Amino acid sequence: MAENENRIEHEYGGSQIEVLEGLEPVRKRPGMYIGSTGPKGLHHLVYEIVDNSIDEALAGYCNHIEVTIKKGDIIEVSDNGRGIPVGIQPKMGIPAVTVVFTVLHAGGKFGGENSGYKVSGGLHGVGASVVNALSEWLTVRVRSDGDEYEQTFHRGKEDGPLKKIGSAQTTGTTVTFKPDPEMFEELVFNYDTLLTRLREEAFLNAGVRITLTDDRGEEPVVQSMCYEGGIRSFVDHIHRRRQLEVLHPEVIYLKGQQGGIIAEVALQYNNSYNELILSFANNVNTPDGGTHEEGFKTALTRVFNDFGREKGYLKDKDENLSGSDVREGLTAVISVKLTEAQFEGQTKAKLGNTEVRSLVFGLVYEKLKEYFEENPGVAKAVFEKATQAARAREAAKKARELVRRKSALETSRMPGKLADCREKDPSKTEIYIVEGDSAGGSAKMGRDSNIQAILPLWGKMLNVEKARLDKVYGNEKMMPVVTALGCGIGEDFDLSKLRYHKVFIMADADVDGSHICTLMLTFFFRFMRPLIEEGHVYIAQPPLFKLAKGQQVKYAYNEAEMSKMSAEMGQGVKVSRYKGLGEMNPEQLWETTMNPENRVIVQISIEDAERADETFTILMGDKVEPRREFIEKNAKYANLDI
Ligand code: TTJ
């Protein structure tokens, strides 16, 4: 027996030596550890470090986490926890804190059974050593037992051993790092990106204060966030941000626990037609849903139908309410915490643990029914909304059938303004949706008519944010888009019928152009969401500048590129700024914006439903000010950061 155990020990030791080889693999293939070396990966470094402090907060020993973007885009994360242990880690013979920063996947391994240390199992959840490996330099300072310790690293290698540097009145950990320019394409942190994610963390961990400071400008910008209401505050925040009117004053909050799994749900209805369900497992967003969302949706539909029949909101002759009926105008946040979360799918964005489905189902079915019993006023309001949604669904069905019958009679089913391409295989074709006849004319002349179709749009835009499906069917501006794409809208949507696999929105590179892009994207987001999800939607990027010197002509897509090019071309360069697509002749438009060989395009993805929806709503809202600011801010980056 004993010998056997020894052998197992030995084997385990062997695999650890492999791990001990160092952090080279991380620097060789950074994408494997943090997803990408673009802006997403860069920001991920911050979350990776912050997650450690969050774990300490969840353990109950830390209630304040400070994140600072310092000058030079250096990040500092500081908490008031117990401090990473500085004692010698028996297996390795070096301080535990050194292990954390130099051994791959060391996060959960040190400290023994009673340390309570765990690494948040996230999308990557790779730990502090990966951040260290990808930093030009990193410093960790630990305050514990009255002393302060420090250790510094360069590109993952320690400069020297852990040192005692002074005394300390408080306890906690501070990590400062500079991402390595050799590893990342872009080194500038986006304040709003960090703020959005850290706010999310604050909502998901009720009572933990997270402070974000930006020290890069002349004046520091500080946001401190702490939500005693947790995910209740999250739902409330979403409604306030979007200026949505709620149907009942209180956010409904349900919490349950079983077999070591904790489930929390917060929900509230508003008077819009959108549904927004945000789900999380161990504080990690699961945009593709999974068992927690499935349990929630099934229970919600069941409660509405059972309770509705019991109370006579639904008559015998009425059909059951559908899932989409009972989710119209719903904002919900679902958060589950469990020890062994299984993330599934290619992007690990879906929760797979089956036991979570029944827990959430049971919780929502029982407690929500109870809530409706006790709050008949709330029940009445939300049932009215759901039955209206069901009626609208019927109306949309009729409108759709009318459109179908009409188009079946027409000889040419395609919109008159569409200049179609010759190729019929959708995987090879593209459509450019262009606002205005003059740009549309240039595009028609400049295109490759083999594979590129042009659809000019004109007329008054539908208020895409406020319209229901049945309104779209009668809309003169949007119906040509629906017909040309061929894949229908709403529940009718069928991606396999898409007539062009690349759908471009082409608009001027100014504020109005951005607005048009946003309206179109909102339209796609609300009525053809899979089109965005499956990566078929792009924004064409026309250049902002033309640089000419003698026969030589070059185009620049932003200010920085223009300055660089102008310097390279030397004396005598004539720089002109394009005001709109209309200023380009067909050849120029082809050369700069449509030629697949050298055009600049932005593929639109839905990384984060919450943010995308929020971004759209800011642009669509009634208030003019935030809209202007947003568009200009993003126009500066010459793309829509969605
Ligand atoms: C582990 O168990 C013993 C007491 O201390 C626990 C611990 O490690 N707490 C802890 C780690 N608090 N904060 C961290 C931490 C903070 C940052 C910013 C970065 C890292 C890698 C860890």
Side-chain angles (χ1 to χ4, degrees):
M1 251 331 248
E3 250 185 56
N4 248 340
E5 269 177 31
N6 267 338
R7 202 163 301 144
I8 289 163
E9 271 284 349
H10 189 74
E11 271 172 28
Y12 183 65
S15 74
Q16 283 229 327
I17 287 165
E18 224 175 75
V19 170
L20 265 173
E21 267 174 30
L23 297 170
E24 252 89 284
V26 182
R27 291 184 61 85
K28 265 205 193 106
R29 295 164 152 238
M32 290 259 294
Y33 295 86
I34 52 159
S36 83
T37 53
K40 266 193 98 177
L42 180 78
H43 289 78
H44 191 83
L45 299 179
V46 182
Y47 314 144
E48 203 59 62
I49 295 297
V50 169
D51 274 352
N52 295 279
S53 299
I54 295 277
D55 282 344
E56 182 72 350
L58 286 177
Y61 296 99
C62 153
N63 61 10
H64 194 186
I65 302 167
E66 291 174 275
V67 180
T68 308
I69 317 170
K70 304 172 87 160
K71 284 200 166 59
D73 285 275
I74 289 158
I75 296 289
E76 185 160 282
V77 180
S78 196
D79 71 33
N80 64 349
R82 290 167 290 179
I84 309 176
V86 292
I88 300 295
Q89 210 259 357
K91 277 211 179 97
M92 307 269 175
I94 51 175
V97 55
T98 309
V99 177
V100 170
F101 283 94
T102 55
V103 179
L104 218 42
H105 292 125
K109 283 187 184 147
F110 78 93
E113 309 76 43
N114 55 1
S115 76
Y117 192 93
K118 75 164 181 46
V119 163
S120 308
L123 179 53
H124 301 289
V126 287
S129 62
V130 167
V131 178
N132 194 17
L134 300 176
S135 294
E136 186 185 315
W137 58 261
L138 180 146
T139 302
V140 56
R141 272 172 283 147
V142 174
R143 301 168 294 283
S144 70
D145 291 329
D147 295 316
E148 181 163 32
Y149 300 83
E150 183 185 83
Q151 189 165 27
T152 63
F153 307 84
H154 275 83
R155 301 199 160 100
K157 295 206 167 74
E158 56 261 55
D159 298 332
L162 181 73
K163 277 199 204 107
K164 202 183 281 187
I165 56 164
S167 61
Q169 272 72 57
T170 57
T171 66
T173 306
T174 302
V175 171
T176 315
F177 65 95
K178 181 178 187 293
D180 192 350
E182 288 175 8
M183 291 287 121
F184 293 93
E185 294 146 32
E186 164 89 64
L187 297 158
V188 180
F189 285 97
N190 183 311
Y191 182 79
D192 290 338
T193 303
L194 291 178
L195 185 68
T196 303
R197 174 61 188 146
L198 294 176
R199 175 174 291 125
E200 203 170 273
E201 292 273 20
F203 283 130
L204 292 165
N205 302 286
V208 178
R209 176 167 297 281
I210 302 181
T211 305
L212 176 64
T213 305
D214 190 345
D215 271 342
R216 290 172 298 182
E218 276 173 25
E219 295 278 322
V221 180
V222 187
Q223 273 269 4
S224 193
M225 300 162 290
C226 178
Y227 304 101
E228 294 299 338
I231 61 171
R232 268 164 288 202
S233 311
F234 202 161
V235 170
D236 187 53
H237 168 83
I238 292 166
H239 282 151
R240 282 171 199 275
R241 269 291 281 261
R242 298 177 189 197
Q243 299 163 13
L244 287 168
E245 208 175 294
V246 294
L247 295 189
H248 49 100
E250 188 188 54
V251 177
I252 303 169
Y253 176 74
L254 319 165
K255 184 174 182 176
Q257 190 165 351
Q258 196 178 68
I261 310 169
I262 303 172
E264 284 178 282
V265 178
L267 69 139
Q268 191 174 29
Y269 283 87
N270 60 65
N271 70 350
S272 82
Y273 308 121
N274 298 325
E275 76 172 71
L276 178 63
I277 300 175
L278 296 176
S279 61
F280 299 85
N282 293 349
N283 297 339
V284 176
N285 189 206
T286 39
D288 293 348
T291 49
H292 48 352
E293 257 188 62
E294 288 157 18
F296 170 74
K297 287 181 179 175
T298 317
L300 188 74
T301 311
R302 187 79 63 85
V303 169
F304 267 80
N305 283 304
D306 289 2
F307 187 87
R309 300 233 177 252
E310 249 170 61
K311 301 288 171 198
Y313 290 115
L314 285 174
K315 305 277 180 273
D316 287 346
K317 62 171 174 40
D318 293 337
E319 273 187 44
N320 263 356
L321 296 166
S322 75
S324 67
D325 295 340
V326 306
R327 294 194 299 269
E328 188 181 283
L330 170 73
T331 301
V333 175
I334 307 166
S335 170
V336 299
K337 291 185 177 132
L338 64 169
T339 39
E340 302 254 322
Q342 272 151 20
F343 295 95
E344 293 182 340
Q346 209 159 36
T347 50
K348 300 269 175 250
K350 189 174 177 184
L351 184 69
N353 305 59
T354 52
E355 64 278 20
V356 174
R357 190 189 290 113
S358 53
L359 169 63
V360 177
F361 176 88
L363 167 72
V364 174
Y365 187 77
E366 263 170 47
K367 298 264 174 79
L368 188 60
K369 225 170 153 199
E370 212 174 283
Y371 188 92
F372 284 159
E373 293 280 1
E374 286 165 11
N375 300 273
V378 177
K380 186 161 182 281
V382 300
F383 269 89
E384 223 156 72
K385 171 96 176 154
T387 36
Q388 261 177 31
R391 276 201 293 275
R393 181 162 52 88
E394 279 304 309
K397 203 166 134 195
K398 290 210 179 87
R400 181 173 72 208
E401 273 156 13
L402 206 71
V403 169
R404 272 212 202 114
R405 242 175 289 145
K406 224 172 85 190
S407 58
L409 294 175
E410 281 165 7
T411 38
S412 151
R413 304 164 62 110
M414 284 299 132
K417 291 257 178 181
L418 174 73
D420 215 343
C421 54
R422 279 186 289 279
E423 175 64 57
K424 293 292 167 231
D425 176 357
S427 68
K428 297 192 178 111
T429 63
E430 316 180 332
I431 184 168
Y432 278 76
I433 299 170
V434 191
E435 173 83 15
D437 277 345
S438 76
S442 282
K444 278 183 192 176
M445 285 192 277
R447 70 182 170 142
D448 172 356
S449 57
N450 262 324
I451 58 154
Q452 292 178 328
I454 310 293
L455 180 66
L457 290 186
W458 74 106
K460 196 175 169 313
M461 186 72 197
L462 174 75
N463 186 340
V464 281
E465 184 71 13
K466 298 232 166 91
R468 263 184 179 144
L469 208 53
D470 52 323
K471 285 280 185 300
V472 178
Y473 283 108
N475 186 268
E476 277 189 25
K477 181 156 187 158
M478 299 318 291
M479 270 322 275
V481 176
V482 177
T483 315
L485 296 188
C487 49
I489 50 176
E491 286 179 16
D492 227 14
F493 186 86
D494 180 356
L495 193 61
S496 70
K497 296 218 174 84
L498 181 64
R499 298 179 64 242
Y500 315 90
H501 280 193
K502 287 203 172 87
V503 178
F504 287 92
I505 304 164
M506 186 157 72
D508 292 339
D510 61 7
V511 173
D512 288 343
S514 293
H515 193 198
I516 288 155
C517 287
T518 309
L519 291 169
M520 285 304 301
L521 290 178
T522 308
F523 178 77
F524 290 145
F525 182 80
R526 285 208 53 208
F527 301 111
M528 304 184 176
R529 197 169 300 185
L531 200 65
I532 302 184
E533 285 168 345
E534 299 301 320
H536 293 292
V537 181
Y538 300 82
I539 293 184
Q541 300 270 290
L544 278 177
F545 301 96
K546 177 182 172 183
L547 296 89
K549 185 182 173 185
Q551 293 291 67
Q552 198 186 8
V553 177
K554 284 191 170 181
Y555 301 96
Y557 293 83
N558 56 49
E559 203 108 4
E561 200 180 3
M562 183 271 284
S563 316
K564 196 165 156 243
M565 263 183 198
S566 152
E568 277 167 11
M569 287 167 82
Q571 292 234 309
V573 184
K574 207 172 137 265
V575 179
S576 42
R577 193 187 173 104
Y578 284 116
K579 296 219 178 57
L581 295 167
E583 282 185 14
M584 270 180 255
N585 63 36
E587 295 79 59
Q588 286 173 333
L589 193 59
W590 162 256
E591 208 40 55
T592 61
T593 315
M594 297 176 71
N595 181 355
E597 303 269 302
N598 50 12
R599 67 189 172 195
V600 178
I601 58 177
V602 176
Q603 188 177 33
I604 302 301
S605 64
I606 300 184
E607 295 293 345
D608 177 342
E610 200 260 338
R611 244 197 113 195
D613 204 19
E614 188 165 284
T615 310
F616 292 171
T617 314
I618 294 168
L619 288 149
M620 302 295 304
D622 296 322
K623 286 213 173 124
V624 176
E625 281 317 311
R627 182 190 307 178
R628 268 199 189 285
E629 186 204 58
F630 178 85
I631 294 170
E632 279 160 11
K633 207 158 79 188
N634 283 275
K636 226 170 47 193
Y637 296 115
N639 72 49
L640 274 173
D641 180 19
I642 292 174

